[in-house]
Amino acid sequence: MKQLFEKYKTLLTDEEGLKAIEAEMSRQKEDAYETFHTQKTVISEMAAAIRKTRNVLLLGMGASHFVNQIFAFQIRKMGIEAHAIPASEFLYDPIPVDRKVVILTSQSGESVETIKCLPSLTGNTVYSVTLTPDSTITKQTRSIICAGGGEKAYAGTRSVTLTLATFAFAAEQLGQIKFEKIERAIEFEQTDLAAMEKAVWTLFSKHSIIATGRSLFAPLSQLFALGCEELGTKPVLCNETGMFRHGPMEILDSDTALVVFRQEGELGELCTSFESAQKQSGCALIVLDSSGLDPLKNAITIPCPTGLDINTVLGMMTTFQSLMVAYACGKNPRTGLPRYGSKVTVSE
Amino acid sequence: MTATGSYTGKFFPLSSELFDFIKTLSNEKFMVDIHAIPAFFHNDPISSRLRSE
């Protein structure tokens, strides 16, 4: 992936933002293992609390919320009642929290809405996942502190991977995943650079981009869209696939790139319906494909580790991050240098 | 074959496979929606070749 960055950074007028992102991404593998080794006691404790209560509420903002959703969908597979809602939603339209284990996710530990939720949770067992020791969240909750310190680069890359890895380790403690499979996911490196570059140029060339996926791959597609927007400074529509088929599909045309996150099994089979949508609309189809099934016709297929769980999503991290960063280099000559926002959102 | 185009004095390598693929993205005008590439394609031999093809 490094060679992809080396090539596309020639499109930038300022490389500082990209350098910071590269620095974060280059550490994420080692930091994931380090997180497991240093935090396994707390991760195990959180998993035990989840197993005991079987009722979990996850709160976070931005990318943290989407990672929370992935974990919520993962543990629903074992019959646990799990809901991930934005901290801002909980703050102004709260739901009862009796007998729930609450997990707050914030890489900085200072996201304003997440912090503001704390007073409403005084009677609960509250865990948190953060990258930042000595943050407000760390001080006020039972905290899992991911390795390597706070993320400095704009847009979540390492923070997302480490939070996801933490939840994968929790799923392992809950008996859903074998540790060896998590290791394989962390080690996965995309080798089909030809497919990656075709996807990058397709994204460059189209006026509209739409990202979509189902189940755990829906929040994954949200992470991709969010990253493309933050870094590329252009709008990217994202709908869960079922919702997309209920109306928004009408926007597909020959100037659209549809990015599909496809998993193994029944939901991967359902993606074959995009073949006729592509044929009818003339849209470009890019598939990050973990299905293990035949590639969709007329699609650019980027092969990813086969599966449908949180571990599969973890294995796709560097692939989708590299795609979104390379895309951004073509759209924003100052990729990774925010115009209006900041790394940590501390005001509403 | 490797097609190599220059952009702001730097080299931007395109494999022949990618070069051919990029051509399929174009319609009557070859101009992808990218902040820098229009200049890139305006100014170097690849652009001329793509346009002439």
Side-chain angles (χ1 to χ4, degrees):
Chain A
M1 287 302 133
K2 194 168 176 60
Q3 57 201 108
L4 206 63
F5 284 6
E6 283 301 312
K7 183 170 178 177
Y8 289 94
K9 77 180 181 187
T10 61
L11 300 172
L12 302 178
T13 55
D14 188 330
E15 295 180 7
E16 287 308 306
L18 182 65
K19 279 182 188 165
I21 293 169
E22 271 189 287
E24 301 287 356
M25 285 180 65
S26 68
R27 288 170 44 192
Q28 54 191 5
K29 189 193 291 187
E30 288 70 26
D31 284 353
Y33 291 123
E34 183 69 11
T35 298
F36 174 73
H37 291 306
T38 60
Q39 303 297 305
K40 57 187 170 189
T41 304
V42 196
I43 293 171
S44 178
E45 189 187 298
M46 182 177 77
I50 292 170
R51 191 185 289 111
K52 185 179 175 189
T53 62
R54 303 186 67 79
N55 195 339
V56 183
L57 173 65
L58 295 113
L59 301 172
M61 296 298 293
S64 295
H65 167 61
F66 297 130
V67 181
N68 282 349
Q69 273 193 319
I70 292 169
F71 185 56
F73 294 167
Q74 173 68 32
I75 59 177
R76 282 184 197 176
K77 291 179 189 298
M78 58 184 291
I80 287 170
E81 185 174 335
H83 299 277
I85 63 175
S88 54
E89 179 183 323
F90 178 77
L91 194 56
Y92 299 115
D93 298 290
I95 58 173
V97 291
D98 304 343
R99 295 181 296 281
K100 288 187 197 303
V101 168
V102 180
I103 302 171
L104 304 181
T105 304
S106 168
Q107 84 81 20
S108 67
E110 302 294 350
S111 298
V112 56
E113 296 90 345
T114 310
I115 297 296
K116 280 188 167 183
C117 290
L118 282 166
S120 308
L121 304 171
T122 48
N124 291 82
T125 303
V126 183
Y127 290 89
S128 63
V129 183
T130 183
L131 270 64
T132 313
D134 300 325
S135 62
T136 303
I137 276 182
T138 308
K139 289 172 188 160
Q140 296 191 30
T141 65
R142 183 82 171 118
S143 199
I144 295 164
I145 304 168
C146 300
E151 188 171 54
K152 294 182 178 61
Y154 190 57
T157 51
R158 184 173 63 95
S159 63
V160 171
T161 301
L162 295 185
T163 305
L164 199 57
T166 296
F167 285 141
F169 294 137
E172 189 261 344
Q173 290 290 306
L174 289 164
Q176 290 188 297
I177 305 172
K178 299 280 186 207
F179 186 79
E180 300 74 39
K181 283 197 166 185
I182 299 177
E183 283 182 306
R184 280 206 291 277
I186 291 171
E187 294 295 330
F188 177 78
E189 289 185 15
Q190 182 57 245
T191 55
D192 196 342
L193 287 183
M196 288 288 282
E197 289 211 276
K198 284 182 182 175
V200 169
W201 278 83
T202 300
L203 294 174
F204 284 168
S205 70
K206 301 298 181 187
H207 182 262
S208 305
I209 299 174
I210 303 163
T212 191
R214 293 181 190 264
S215 184
L216 280 79
F217 284 42
L220 173 60
S221 66
Q222 292 279 7
L223 285 167
F224 174 76
L226 172 64
C228 287
E229 289 177 331
E230 283 180 300
L231 298 174
T233 66
K234 299 287 183 287
V236 176
L237 179 72
C238 187
N239 279 163
E240 184 273 331
T241 303
M243 293 295 284
F244 180 62
R245 298 190 66 84
H246 282 254
M249 261 184 77
E250 292 302 316
I251 66 176
L252 288 178
D253 63 16
S254 60
D255 209 7
T256 305
L258 180 62
V259 184
V260 177
F261 290 80
R262 185 189 191 197
Q263 64 266 69
E264 189 181 31
E266 181 189 357
L267 300 187
E269 294 277 6
L270 282 177
C271 288
T272 54
S273 65
F274 284 124
E275 290 177 340
S276 59
Q278 187 281 326
K279 195 172 178 183
Q280 285 180 300
S281 68
C283 74
L285 198 52
I286 298 168
V287 184
L288 278 82
D289 203 336
S290 289
S291 71
L293 301 167
D294 289 339
L296 300 186
K297 288 184 188 119
N298 295 321
I300 298 164
T301 300
I302 302 172
C304 294
T306 302
L308 44 66
D309 60 10
I310 191 169
N311 197 50
T312 314
V313 175
L314 182 62
M316 298 171 83
M317 279 293 107
T318 54
T319 299
F320 103 83
Q321 289 169 349
S322 300
L323 183 61
M324 77 185 186
V325 173
Y327 155 77
C329 288
K331 293 291 181 187
N332 176 14
R334 290 169 49 80
T335 292
L337 299 170
R339 295 185 292 187
Y340 316 117
S342 58
K343 178 65 186 169
V344 183
T345 304
V346 292
S347 60
E348 289 182 89
Chain B
M1 185 192 95
T2 300
T4 306
S6 62
Y7 168 66
T8 58
K10 297 172 183 174
F11 287 99
F12 195 90
L14 296 169
S15 68
S16 56
E17 184 192 3
L18 185 58
F19 179 82
D20 289 339
F21 176 76
I22 291 168
K23 285 193 293 184
T24 68
L25 296 170
S26 65
N27 296 317
E28 62 278 359
K29 61 171 183 166
F30 187 86
M31 195 66 71
V32 292
D33 177 22
I34 173 174
H35 68 90
I37 291 296
F40 163 67
F41 282 115
H42 275 308
N43 296 333
D44 77 26
I46 290 178
S47 173
S48 307
R49 199 177 128 196
L50 284 165
R51 284 164 186 274
S52 66
E53 286 176 6

